[in-house]
Every structure is written in C-alpha cells, then in structure tokens.
Amino acid sequence: MDSNIVLFIIKLISGGIVAFLSILLMSKIRTAAWAFMVAGFLLSYAALIYNLLIELGVLTQTNFAINGVPISSLIWAIIPSLCFFIALILMLLKK
C-alpha cells in the first residue's frame, strides 16, 4: 500500500475524531469563539477530504492560480486558519 494513502487514512481517522468531538463540545459551550473554533476544525477536515479527492483524481484543481498555487487549494488552506484566528481574537477580547 502506498505510504501517502496510509497517511491520508490516518489523517482521516484522527480528523474525523476531532471533528466529532468538536461538535460535541459545541453542544455544551455555545459562544461565538467556540463556534469559530468548531468551524475551523470542520473546515480543516473538509480540506483534508478535498486534498484526498484531488490526490485520487476524483476532482481536479481549478485552472486559476496565484503564483502557481491553485486558488481552490489556497482557499482550503486559508479558511480554517482564518476561523481559528477569529476564534482566538474573540477569546482574547472576551476577558
């Protein structure tokens, strides 16, 4: 079995557990900061699935690129980090 596929399987399992636990946490703690944190976890899991589908050839990347980086991959890399950034700023402003 290809080592990249094994790595993706491990990432999918651990990412699925993190996404599930973050949804459970969100049901207990209902603040805007935690909502952005959960959104960041879920979007990072979605980005992992997107990258897996690209790797397997099920999807293709967009033809539009910025400095050779496809915009779709760039968006999937930035949006989860942006959610984490907003969540941490909201947590800092709360105190």
Side-chain angles (χ1 to χ4, degrees):
M1 188 178 262
D2 189 20
S3 63
N4 285 338
I5 300 298
V6 172
L7 182 62
F8 268 116
I9 290 171
I10 292 170
K11 285 181 181 181
L12 283 172
I13 291 171
S14 62
I17 292 170
V18 168
F20 177 73
L21 292 176
S22 67
I23 292 170
L24 285 179
L25 177 67
M26 185 60 198
S27 68
K28 297 194 182 301
I29 303 171
R30 294 178 187 211
T31 63
W34 279 107
F36 277 105
M37 191 69 73
V38 169
F41 288 129
L42 294 177
L43 286 171
S44 63
Y45 187 67
L48 176 66
I49 292 173
Y50 174 76
N51 288 332
L52 177 64
L53 292 175
I54 294 290
E55 185 77 23
L56 293 175
V58 175
L59 295 177
T60 58
Q61 294 180 342
T62 59
N63 292 334
F64 303 107
I66 297 175
N67 291 332
V69 178
I71 290 178
S72 58
S73 295
L74 187 63
I75 289 172
W76 282 111
I78 291 174
I79 296 294
S81 297
L82 184 64
C83 286
F84 292 136
F85 176 76
I86 293 171
L88 293 173
I89 293 297
L90 288 175
M91 286 181 191
L92 286 174
L93 292 176
K94 182 181 170 185
K95 292 187 178 196

